[in-house]
Amino acid sequence: MRILMTDGSGLTSRQCATVLSRAGHVVEALTSDPLCVCAFTRHVRRLHRVPPYGDDPFAWLEAALTVYKAGGFAVLLPTQEQVAVLSRAADGRAATVVPPFAALARVQDKLSAAATLTELGLPQPPQAIIANARDLAEWDVFPAYLKQPIGTATSGVARLTGPADLKDRPVEDGLLVQHEVPGPLAMIQTVFAEGELLAFHACRREGEGARGAAGRKRGLSLPGIRDHLARLGRALRWHGALSADVIIGPDGPVFIDLNPRLVEPVNALLSGVDLLTPMLDLARGRTPAVQPAARPGVATHQLLPAVLGAAQHTGRRGAVLRELVTAAARRGGYAGSREELTPGFDPRSALLVALAAGATIARPGLWRWFAAGSVRAYALSGPAWRRIVRGPAS
């Protein structure tokens, strides 16, 4: 089957390409960045240039549909934030899988997501909506996290350690502020069919890569969170992928973010949960099988973001070298772990890791160049989201 991914820049897209290609599909991807991560793999046959998504989502959509139709693709697979404009305006012009737009709008921005979770009684950190500068000045609980309504890959999120961190913060679109909850981060992935849960997986982030990415993960069982997300999906009649970030705090797990899209599927697949096959079935109007429960404890890693994370968090060449040596020796957190992003024989993928490692060893600050470009290519901005809400120009 010929599959066109909506994004070639993100880690999720790179993982999807490997899984789909190994299953025998022909995979191509849309991108505004010719040096995106999917350019460095044999699993993506071709990249198609389209306008940057965040600049004009509707221009991106028309370009994407032109490529889709001309290429005779069977499925247009949303692998990043393009799901928002597809939900709003694809209008049956492509075989894809997206939630109803009314449902998506209830979780797309952080203020709406917090309100939806509150309405359903699902656990969150203590929080407040900041509507104006006075509300912000009166906040007095630290540490905390201040979140803009729209943000991607930790952009739009600031950690507050004291009153000085509140100065000069724009409040025009409203802000969400949440108490910091101590505990590890869990990444949750689900797939729904018109509100019915088809697949669920949870994994703990055991090593933080660049911009909050997971350098290392380990699958775990969170039946309570599964029940919470099943309830959320039913309430919204969700269709397609829905992901969440959860902090496993002292008083139990709490939701800190919702994402109306797929997130990095390989740890789930190695744990026995196939997230992509149900997505393809739904896109083609078929009835997917319900996936089995995941096998907990499966360890995986992504060396590329782990190396960039070592450069970001320490600014030291030695830290990058130690990360590489530890991974090569399969010691520490890499013991018994399998590579998610660049598994098996893939010389172009190995080249990208080598370039990133060499560059950050020479100059650690270059991690920004490797990490920032991918986010810019697919990120949804606040103005772009407001334009999607308004709908296409008549």
Side-chain angles (χ1 to χ4, degrees):
M1 183 162 55
R2 289 173 54 79
I3 298 171
L4 179 63
M5 300 191 303
T6 60
D7 169 66
S9 301
L11 300 179
T12 294
S13 303
R14 177 62 188 82
Q15 291 195 18
C16 288
T18 298
V19 173
L20 294 170
S21 174
R22 286 181 164 183
H25 302 296
V26 175
V27 182
E28 301 183 18
L30 302 167
T31 184
S32 61
D33 177 10
L35 294 177
C36 66
V37 68
C38 281
F40 292 87
T41 176
R42 65 185 181 88
H43 294 294
V44 174
R45 178 170 294 186
R46 183 180 175 187
L47 295 173
H48 300 268
R49 293 291 297 275
V50 290
Y53 175 62
D55 291 353
D56 186 340
F58 292 105
W60 176 91
L61 176 62
E62 294 309 315
L65 291 174
T66 297
V67 173
Y68 171 80
K69 293 173 183 175
F73 293 96
V75 171
L76 178 60
L77 181 67
T79 54
Q80 263 298 344
E81 298 191 354
Q82 298 87 3
V83 65
V85 76
L86 289 172
S87 175
R88 184 71 172 94
D91 300 325
R93 290 182 285 172
T96 190
V97 51
V98 294
F101 187 72
L104 181 139
R106 293 187 64 186
V107 302
Q108 177 66 64
D109 73 82
K110 290 177 173 56
L111 303 183
S112 297
T116 299
L117 292 169
T118 298
E119 178 185 326
L120 293 173
L122 303 185
Q124 301 176 81
Q127 61 190 15
I129 303 298
I130 303 298
N132 51 54
R134 182 177 178 179
D135 290 345
L136 186 60
E138 291 177 350
W139 181 263
D140 61 358
V141 177
F142 304 98
Y145 285 95
L146 189 67
K147 302 181 178 182
Q148 297 176 10
I150 296 291
T152 302
T154 72
S155 66
V157 178
R159 187 173 185 267
L160 308 175
T161 59
D165 293 335
L166 298 174
K167 293 180 180 179
D168 302 321
R169 298 282 182 183
V171 190
E172 53 188 323
D173 294 326
L175 298 168
L176 177 69
V177 62
Q178 294 178 324
H179 291 203
E180 182 178 81
V181 176
L185 175 75
M187 305 166 65
I188 316 299
Q189 298 127 317
T190 61
V191 178
F192 289 88
E194 296 183 350
E196 294 302 315
L197 183 62
L198 297 174
F200 172 88
H201 179 64
C203 58
R204 172 173 164 162
R205 186 182 68 185
E206 298 204 327
E208 184 176 352
R211 295 188 179 274
R216 291 181 282 108
K217 303 174 190 162
R218 188 174 297 273
L220 74 165
S221 176
L222 287 176
I225 290 296
R226 184 189 188 283
D227 293 343
H228 289 324
L229 280 168
R231 182 180 174 191
L232 175 64
R234 283 195 302 271
L236 299 179
R237 289 193 61 79
W238 197 264
H239 194 68
L242 178 64
S243 302
D245 287 340
V246 169
I247 296 294
I248 306 174
D251 299 320
V254 293
F255 288 93
I256 61 167
D257 201 15
L258 293 173
N259 288 296
R261 58 180 177 84
L262 193 65
V263 171
E264 303 168 12
V266 169
N267 186 277
L269 185 64
L270 296 177
S271 302
V273 178
D274 184 350
L275 299 170
L276 282 169
T277 297
M279 293 280 287
L280 297 179
D281 285 342
L282 291 173
R284 302 181 72 195
R286 298 178 176 181
T287 301
V290 176
Q291 291 291 305
R295 183 175 71 257
V298 173
T300 57
H301 62 273
Q302 303 181 97
L303 185 56
L304 177 61
V307 164
L308 298 177
Q312 176 189 359
H313 301 316
T314 70
R316 297 181 178 179
R317 299 178 179 89
V320 177
L321 282 168
R322 282 194 297 274
E323 194 74 30
L324 290 166
V325 169
T326 303
R330 294 289 191 265
R331 297 199 304 260
Y334 292 95
S337 179
R338 296 172 66 179
E339 170 66 54
E340 294 180 18
L341 199 62
T342 57
F345 177 75
D346 195 348
R348 280 187 281 168
S349 287
L351 174 62
L352 179 58
V353 175
L355 288 171
T360 51
I361 289 171
R363 188 176 172 185
L366 285 174
W367 73 266
R368 293 181 181 85
W369 186 86
F370 287 92
S374 63
V375 176
R376 283 196 303 269
Y378 64 72
L380 180 66
S381 65
W385 170 237
R386 290 191 292 273
R387 187 169 181 184
I388 291 172
V389 171
R390 290 195 302 270
S394 56

